[in-house]
Amino acid sequence: MTKSDEEVLRVEDLHKRYGDHAVLRGVSLTLTRGEAKVVMGSSGTGKSTLLRCINHLSPPDAGRVLLEGQPLTPATLNAMRRHIAFVFQDFNLFTHLKVIDNVRLGQRRILKRSKAAATERAMQELERVGLADRAHYYPAQLSGGQQQRASIARALAMDPKVILFDEPTSALDPELTGEVVTVMKQLASEGMTMLVVSHEVGFARTAADEIVFMDGGTIVEQGPPSTLFANPAHERTRAFLKVITHQESA
Amino acid sequence: MIWQTLYDNLPFLMHGTWVALQLLAALLALGLVLGLTLALGQVYGPWPARLGGWAFERVFRGVPAVVLLLLFYYGVTDFVALSSFLAAVLALGLRSAAYQSQIFRGAIQSVPAGQMQAARAIGMGRWQAIRTIVLPQAARHAIGPWTNEFSSELKATSLAYVIGVVELTRQAKYIVSNTQGNILIVFGVVALIYFIVNRLGNAVLYRVEARLAVPGFERRSP
Ligand SMILES: Nc1ncnc2c1ncn2[C@@H]1O[C@H](COP(=O)(O)OP(=O)(O)O)[C@@H](O)[C@H]1O
Ligand SMILES: [Mg+2]
């Protein structure tokens, strides 16, 4: 919402296939600083694959990813991933570590912050997502919504330049999605650069600068939420939006 | 009379127990280091490591322990001089490595793939992620089966007597020969010693297991 025109992430013509199934067939997009972009599209269309190819958790077959102009390469990968946080659909908190240690680990091991600095920062981020009082719980002792908020705190503590969210609310019971969406809206309004795969219409309408609609491994349409929701140009987009906006009001 | 004999021979029994414990510690240590290496190679390594690990496991789990002992003692000593103790450490240690690699492989594989992905996503290298995320969780899955392996190997140390390692069972055999008989009582005492060592070892391992058991990794009931 506080978008500038300084480019943070540039994705150029990504291709990815699994066996003889071409999952990504040339996807390009850019994110400017402070921009929140929401990716929508039906299941199996390659949205998760796109996010995983962006930080090379699955290396793309072709195409480039640039962070602030620097291309991700095998040699620079570990150093650059710390700037690209990833929030997973099923949270993936480190199960054997307390919440606070989940938020401290990357700061200590990757950013080499002192224990005191990492602890202070971890508590700030847990405060921000409303989990300061759960710092010394283990992930298994938290609800799904709390686990996802903790994983967002873990991401934030790394000072990422961009955060990738892969359907952060779709593993949650409906009554728990609100608390996660609230945190994400707050991040968007504070100017965090984020690429969010999500079908949360409420989030998309109010927090997204742009909606990207994917189908069959390509981007079929993109534009500001007001335009895209009001008069989608493509039949696929229209049909898809009808389904999710219907679910929303149901 | 027999009690007097036992009392007189107590130092020998204690010494035999000590030798058995040394053998146990050495073979478990060899099995741990090699078994973990094999397991990591099998899960994360290239195909030669997977194939090698698989073949090693098959061979050492498929041959009786006594045959391995005889092979290492009489077979290998033709080429390199090995004390009977060292031959026993190698034979039983390599066999234990096969069993332990199976335990560790299963434990590593039961750590969900998302844990590795989350570690890589914050910028950890593969080896760093294995060390800091995967292995601490795998240890919690492995400790239960490893306790069983400890018990099996304690009992297996008694087999080393066939190649002349003077451990507890062989000491008992000497006492029986020197005192003409008393088999039942002497071996009864020896059985009791194995039983006690096993219980003590298990008690220690259960405590380790309890310390590792954080929410999400509840311990199985002992
Ligand atoms: N690791 C993989 N191996 C094989 N096929 C995969 C793999 N990951 C994803 N796919 C396939 O790629 C397609 C797109 O998957 P995904 O990116 O998860 O879609 P979405 O997130 O949009 O639902 C699916 O058909 C899926 O089965
Ligand atoms: Mg997906």
Side-chain angles (χ1 to χ4, degrees):
Chain A
M1 292 261 116
T2 42
K3 154 178 187 182
S4 72
D5 47 14
E6 185 190 348
E7 190 175 286
V8 176
L9 184 74
R10 165 179 283 274
V11 174
E12 287 178 355
D13 199 28
L14 284 189
H15 287 258
K16 178 74 181 178
R17 57 167 56 244
Y18 289 112
D20 53 8
H21 181 187
V23 178
L24 294 183
R25 300 183 300 146
V27 176
S28 303
L29 55 81
T30 58
L31 277 175
T32 56
R33 195 168 312 284
E35 184 179 17
K37 205 166 244 182
V38 170
V39 180
M40 292 186 164
S42 46
S43 176
T45 238
K47 306 179 301 296
S48 298
T49 305
L50 170 63
L51 293 194
R52 298 165 53 82
C53 281
I54 288 176
N55 77 349
H56 286 39
L57 272 182
S58 313
D61 299 331
R64 292 204 304 169
V65 176
L66 298 99
L67 185 73
E68 294 182 337
Q70 297 292 314
L72 266 77
T73 63
T76 60
L77 196 55
N78 288 336
M80 292 183 75
R81 273 194 185 133
R82 76 185 59 168
H83 303 299
I84 308 175
F86 202 110
V87 173
F88 296 86
Q89 186 168 349
D90 39 13
F91 335 129
N92 290 339
L93 287 172
F94 302 126
T95 327
H96 64 303
L97 298 177
K98 290 177 180 174
V99 167
I100 183 145
D101 291 315
N102 266 275
V103 184
R104 271 195 298 222
L105 185 73
Q107 300 188 64
R108 298 278 290 135
R109 301 294 174 92
I110 306 295
L111 305 180
K112 310 287 183 200
R113 287 185 185 144
S114 72
K115 185 157 187 192
T119 303
E120 191 185 332
R121 181 60 187 273
M123 287 313 297
Q124 277 171 16
E125 298 303 346
L126 288 173
E127 195 84 51
R128 165 135 80 148
V129 301
L131 283 178
D133 59 336
R134 294 291 184 271
H136 291 278
Y137 284 49
Y138 284 91
Q141 297 171 303
L142 302 183
S143 72
Q146 291 171 329
Q147 288 189 58
Q148 192 58 297
R149 285 186 282 143
S151 92
I152 293 173
R154 175 175 71 178
L156 291 169
M158 298 296 286
D159 285 322
K161 298 186 198 298
V162 54
I163 308 185
L164 312 176
F165 292 81
D166 190 6
E167 301 207 37
T169 56
S170 55
L172 300 177
D173 293 334
E175 68 270 24
L176 299 178
T177 60
E179 61 191 69
V180 173
V181 171
T182 305
V183 167
M184 291 169 57
K185 279 184 179 165
Q186 183 195 331
L187 291 180
S189 72
E190 288 167 9
M192 177 57 73
T193 311
M194 44 213 269
L195 183 62
V196 184
V197 173
S198 173
H199 296 158
E200 290 290 332
V201 178
F203 176 79
R205 273 191 212 282
T206 59
D209 297 291
E210 198 164 60
I211 312 284
V212 172
F213 184 74
M214 274 182 76
D215 192 46
T218 54
I219 293 176
V220 290
E221 182 166 2
Q222 52 189 323
S226 50
T227 321
L228 205 92
F229 279 114
N231 34 43
H234 288 259
E235 182 49 40
R236 292 286 305 161
T237 320
R238 215 170 297 146
F240 180 79
L241 288 177
K242 204 164 150 189
V243 174
I244 61 165
T245 47
H246 179 73
Q247 281 168 351
E248 187 76 359
S249 55
Chain B
M1 163 62 184
I2 173 64
W3 301 115
Q4 185 60 43
T5 310
L6 273 178
Y7 182 80
D8 292 342
N9 283 291
L10 200 59
F12 295 107
L13 288 179
M14 288 300 103
H15 188 256
T17 306
W18 174 235
V19 172
L21 287 175
Q22 286 175 305
L23 175 56
L24 178 66
L27 82 89
L28 284 175
L30 174 59
L32 180 79
V33 172
L34 185 58
L36 187 57
T37 307
L38 288 170
L40 287 169
Q42 279 180 288
V43 179
Y44 298 109
W47 71 263
R50 291 204 296 275
L51 186 68
W54 178 84
F56 183 92
E57 253 185 42
R58 286 298 147 123
V59 169
F60 280 92
R61 286 169 46 210
V63 178
V66 171
V67 175
L68 286 175
L69 285 162
L70 295 171
L71 265 175
F72 273 80
Y73 187 54
Y74 296 108
V76 179
T77 41
D78 287 351
F79 306 101
V80 261
L82 279 186
S83 69
S84 59
F85 181 83
L86 218 53
V89 170
L90 279 177
L92 297 177
L94 293 177
R95 191 180 76 114
S96 179
Y99 284 104
Q100 292 192 49
S101 85
Q102 195 184 23
I103 292 171
F104 295 138
R105 179 160 49 89
I108 291 168
Q109 283 169 337
S110 60
V111 177
Q115 296 288 309
M116 175 61 109
Q117 287 171 18
R120 298 306 303 274
I122 59 173
M124 283 195 192
R126 191 148 114 122
W127 179 233
Q128 190 179 22
I130 291 171
R131 269 188 348 241
T132 47
I133 303 300
V134 177
L135 288 183
Q137 296 187 30
R140 291 163 162 89
H141 296 299
I143 183 76
W146 203 86
T147 303
N148 297 337
E149 171 65 6
F150 168 86
S151 295
S152 304
E153 297 300 344
L154 168 63
K155 289 172 271 182
T157 59
S158 73
L159 299 173
Y161 104 107
V162 303
I163 57 169
V165 178
V166 188
E167 43 64 68
L168 182 54
T169 305
R170 196 169 187 88
Q171 289 283 14
K173 196 89 178 8
Y174 287 156
I175 297 169
V176 170
S177 318
N178 294 343
T179 61
Q180 287 104 40
N182 301 318
I183 292 186
L184 202 56
I185 290 177
V186 173
F187 278 107
V189 169
V190 166
L192 185 67
I193 294 175
Y194 280 117
F195 181 81
I196 291 169
V197 171
N198 191 30
R199 292 307 308 164
L200 289 175
N202 278 319
V204 171
L205 290 168
Y206 284 142
R207 292 191 62 155
V208 175
E209 187 176 357
R211 286 197 60 168
L212 290 177
V214 300
F217 292 94
E218 278 74 12
R219 65 186 297 201
R220 10 145 259 166
S221 44

